[in-house]
Amino acid sequence: MPMHKAPSLSKLAWQLACALVLTTALAAQALACTTTIVGKKASADGSVMVSHSDDGLNDARLVYVPAKDHAPGSMRPVYYSHCSLDFKPQWGGTVSHRIVDGGRAPAYATGPRPGMSGDPRSVPLGFIPQVAHTYAYFDANYGIMNEHQLSIGECTDKAKVDAEPEPGKRIFYSAELSRVALERCKTAREAVKLMGELIEKYGYYGTGETLLVADPNEGWVMEMCAYDKDGTSGVWVAQRVPDDQFFVAANQFRIRDVRKGASDMMFSANIFKVAQEKGWWKPADGPLDWTKVYGDGEYHHPYYSLRRVWRAQSLVAPSRKLSPWAEDAFTRSYPFSIKPDQKLDVKDIFAIHRDNYEGTEFDLTKGLAAGPFGDPGRFEGGAEGLANKEGQLSDVKGEFERPLNIYRCVYAYVNQSRSWLPAAIGGVTWFGPDRPATAVLMPFYAGALDLPRAIQTSDILKLDRGSMWTAFNYVANQAQIKYQYMIKDIRTLRDKHEARFFGTQKAIEETALSLWKKGDQNAARLLLTERSNLFAANVLADWWELSEQLYIRYNDGYFNTPDNIAQPVFYPAWWLKQVGYEQGPTTYAKPVKK
């Protein structure tokens, strides 16, 4: 029998299994992301912080979009967002490149050029009138931060309706909404209102979404979804996060009662009417519960979202002693926002994203599933692994815990917006490529003149030594071989770099501020840009060197040093007992089956 042939599976059953695997893989792109806001009175330095982990294996680039002036009558193209309902080739781009349009940003110029092949150019779903001037910003699968330190985070949510894109009817998803907001707005309130207007005028497609929108003074949670597969609009709601509080969302709507006339809320004009027409709510039910009325619970399995919300809130406010167990997906046990026990800084927030439930009853570094060396990674299921010899799908049921730090994360970041500094200096994106636990946070300032090529280069289908994401993803995959050993080496180098970045932050910013006050703003921007570029170059070189060191140090399962090679690193006794080591061939007698 040829090695590639599926044994004992009918062709139809095998095709079914493969189709289900593909469906699972594509769905995983949408089941992604954890995002947080820290109010200015909840942060250690008075900044407003937004964080986001983009948990789907797709385009990992952090792209610099320059400021531009536009001629009167110009139109802005609105592109399909791969992160909405996965890659659709009719709208251009590729599975690993979200936008192909050099007019949007130089790093997006990956399309055909004279005498060269390239990615298929992005095809607009539609156009909106362009404004005279658009601001510079950092872009990824969603917009991140602009030159005025307007900051955005995101997570995907399960809504009752997911509509397909359609030109002339539904052309906006949260990704392009976030970019338009960063191009045109300076404040969070302004951005929320603009995105709401765009939803109502041009229509919304894709999954439910949470966008966190913040400026140096306040943070807002904006949630949105489609309500009709053939509709020409959408619904949305926004709620302000109190200045002294922390907010977290994890793939489920988090806004509850919609309160008319409340100064800390905004919402679409149709929010009550649509709910009544669809039969999802009536005034006699009491306040409209946005999460319950327009949401559809958690993705995938119970606690897929709630466990992360519980963990994040428990880490910032352990005194609350929140229970990890809830009555159902629509529990109110975890408040909209929570006051932290102690004020939070960037490292505190990224520690949340790096968490694998260590020290709790859900600790993913423990138990048989973690293997002998404590790997917290839990690969999500595929049908081919559950097909029996008759070609039927297995009835094995179960789930692993979904951690904050997940193996398929492509990047994570913490944005700082600081009111007491010029926006160019006050806004910082602390960016970590690939999964948070093995990433290094690197600072990039809102006033940067560009970003390093290594940060703007990535293709998940190529091994590129000039790509920062590739370097980090490569090392993270290596670490799965002997995690509890390799993670120590990774943390040592990670902490060294982060200590230098945080340790020199004050001095660099003081120098930039001095230049700014003297009127040499370009010199200040250049200083910040060059310093970030130098940091990134050092990290890239060190990370590839680390990959080589890990290969040598743990080659063939041993521990190797210049003084002593092939030092045994055997399996722990508890694991040996559970995997049947004691039933191995220890005598010449045939084992007696029990």
Side-chain angles (χ1 to χ4, degrees):
M1 178 180 292
M3 291 294 291
H4 66 272
K5 186 176 181 181
S8 304
L9 278 175
S10 71
K11 184 178 180 180
L12 180 61
W14 185 249
Q15 288 174 339
L16 173 62
C18 290
L20 287 172
V21 173
L22 179 61
T23 300
T24 301
L26 296 182
Q29 303 298 325
L31 311 188
C33 310
T34 306
T35 188
T36 78
I37 281 183
V38 179
K40 61 184 179 182
K41 293 181 180 178
S43 67
D45 65 353
S47 62
V48 178
M49 292 185 283
V50 168
S51 74
H52 168 55
S53 62
D54 198 64
D55 300 340
L57 187 60
N58 44 39
D59 195 338
R61 295 174 294 170
L62 177 64
V63 168
Y64 176 75
V65 180
K68 299 186 186 73
D69 293 319
H70 306 277
S74 297
M75 300 295 286
R76 184 204 188 275
V78 177
Y79 294 126
Y80 171 71
S81 301
H82 297 175
C83 51
S84 62
L85 298 167
D86 214 76
F87 175 60
K88 294 181 184 293
Q90 65 267 36
W91 301 114
T94 70
V95 291
S96 53
H97 285 157
R98 58 184 171 257
I99 293 174
V100 183
D101 177 5
R104 179 71 63 87
Y108 285 143
T110 57
R113 295 176 293 281
M116 300 177 65
S117 62
D119 297 339
R121 186 178 173 87
S122 295
V123 178
L125 278 167
F127 294 84
I128 62 173
Q130 185 58 281
V131 294
H133 180 78
T134 50
Y135 305 131
Y137 64 99
F138 300 151
D139 191 28
N141 290 315
Y142 307 83
I144 294 179
M145 176 180 274
N146 74 8
E147 62 180 290
H148 298 288
Q149 51 184 335
L150 178 65
S151 174
I152 292 179
E154 180 275 345
C155 77
T156 301
D157 305 314
K158 191 178 182 186
K160 284 186 169 70
V161 175
D162 290 347
E164 292 287 329
E166 184 176 342
K169 295 182 75 172
R170 295 175 300 282
I171 69 170
F172 269 108
Y173 182 63
S174 64
E176 281 284 75
L177 286 171
S178 68
R179 296 177 184 124
V180 175
L182 293 178
E183 290 168 5
R184 303 182 179 192
C185 301
K186 294 182 180 181
T187 71
R189 287 175 187 260
E190 182 185 5
V192 169
K193 290 178 181 177
L194 173 62
M195 290 189 287
E197 290 168 1
L198 293 172
I199 289 171
E200 294 168 25
K201 184 171 183 179
Y202 295 100
Y204 182 87
Y205 69 89
T207 62
E209 280 286 291
T210 294
L211 288 181
L212 305 189
V213 191
D215 58 35
N217 294 302
E218 63 179 357
W220 286 78
V221 179
M222 182 181 187
E223 298 188 324
M224 64 200 73
C225 64
Y227 61 83
D228 189 294
K229 287 188 177 293
D230 197 43
T232 57
S233 184
V235 285
W236 63 273
V237 63
Q239 184 171 342
R240 190 181 187 278
V241 177
D243 291 340
D244 64 348
Q245 304 220 352
F246 165 86
F247 170 89
V248 59
N251 302 132
Q252 186 181 19
F253 288 143
R254 295 277 288 120
I255 295 174
R256 304 308 296 259
D257 295 344
V258 180
R259 293 169 280 114
K260 295 180 180 180
S263 61
D264 65 341
M265 295 199 86
M266 293 183 272
F267 46 83
S268 57
N270 62 353
I271 194 169
F272 300 105
K273 180 181 177 182
V274 167
Q276 288 181 268
E277 290 178 348
K278 290 290 183 180
W280 297 338
W281 171 83
K282 55 184 181 296
D285 296 336
L288 189 153
D289 181 341
W290 165 265
T291 294
K292 200 166 186 177
V293 170
Y294 286 100
D296 195 30
E298 300 184 81
Y299 280 116
H300 204 46
H301 62 77
Y303 297 107
Y304 185 86
S305 299
L306 290 177
R307 191 75 80 219
R308 282 177 283 156
V309 172
W310 162 78
R311 181 58 168 164
Q313 290 192 344
S314 295
L315 285 170
V316 303
S319 64
R320 297 288 293 262
K321 296 186 176 2
L322 295 170
S323 172
W325 306 106
E327 64 275 13
D328 58 36
F330 300 105
T331 180
R332 289 182 182 253
S333 298
Y334 309 124
F336 170 75
S337 61
I338 196 167
K339 186 175 181 179
D341 288 353
Q342 297 180 334
K343 295 193 175 185
L344 305 166
D345 61 21
V346 170
K347 290 175 282 188
D348 295 327
I349 299 306
F350 212 68
I352 293 171
H353 288 283
R354 285 171 167 156
D355 187 76
N356 297 295
Y357 304 125
E358 286 94 342
T360 75
E361 60 189 290
F362 315 109
D363 193 336
L364 293 173
T365 67
K366 306 294 184 183
L368 190 61
F373 304 117
D375 180 12
R378 300 290 186 274
F379 299 131
E380 289 156 330
E384 88 286 7
L386 301 177
N388 64 23
K389 63 182 181 180
E390 284 79 32
Q392 299 167 327
L393 298 185
S394 168
D395 60 357
V396 174
K397 305 294 182 184
E399 297 291 347
F400 289 119
E401 291 285 348
R402 201 296 201 188
L404 289 144
N405 173 71
I406 196 166
Y407 67 92
R408 56 178 167 81
C409 180
V410 289
Y411 61 80
Y413 60 83
V414 180
N415 287 340
Q416 277 186 298
S417 299
R418 296 172 291 176
S419 62
W420 61 94
L421 290 168
I425 304 169
V428 190
T429 292
W430 293 90
F431 188 81
D434 201 58
R435 64 205 73 174
T438 52
V440 170
L441 282 177
M442 291 171 275
F444 301 101
Y445 285 84
L449 300 173
D450 204 345
L451 287 168
R453 181 185 179 278
I455 287 287
Q456 300 191 80
T457 302
S458 170
D459 189 331
I460 62 173
L461 299 177
K462 295 178 182 178
L463 198 160
D464 181 355
R465 285 189 169 266
S467 165
M468 188 75 74
W469 177 82
T470 304
F472 276 87
N473 183 257
Y474 189 91
V475 168
N477 276 273
Q478 276 184 291
Q480 292 174 309
I481 298 171
K482 268 192 169 59
Y483 186 85
Q484 72 185 58
Y485 293 93
M486 291 188 180
I487 192 63
K488 294 176 183 177
D489 297 298
I490 293 170
R491 286 172 180 162
T492 297
L493 185 58
R494 178 195 79 190
D495 293 349
K496 171 187 168 185
H497 279 294
E498 290 186 358
R500 181 163 71 251
F501 300 159
F502 286 111
T504 58
Q505 181 182 11
K506 182 178 179 181
I508 292 169
E509 292 174 358
E510 285 179 348
T511 303
L513 183 60
S514 176
L515 291 168
W516 193 276
K517 288 179 177 179
K518 291 176 182 177
D520 201 345
Q521 297 182 1
N522 192 66
R525 293 176 187 272
L526 184 61
L527 170 69
L528 296 173
T529 303
E530 290 181 343
R531 191 57 62 95
S532 293
N533 288 356
L534 177 62
F535 286 160
N538 290 337
V539 169
L540 181 64
D542 280 359
W543 228 251
W544 281 120
E545 183 179 344
L546 174 63
S547 74
E548 296 171 3
Q549 292 173 351
L550 293 175
Y551 163 73
I552 293 168
R553 194 170 294 161
Y554 299 101
N555 193 11
D556 282 345
Y558 293 110
F559 182 67
N560 305 295
T561 67
D563 300 322
N564 190 3
I565 63 171
Q567 301 173 57
V569 181
F570 200 49
Y571 304 108
W574 68 266
W575 188 84
L576 291 172
K577 287 179 178 292
Q578 291 192 55
V579 298
Y581 177 76
E582 294 169 306
Q583 283 71 55
T586 56
T587 73
Y588 285 98
K590 181 180 179 179
V592 177
K593 292 185 178 180
K594 298 181 180 179

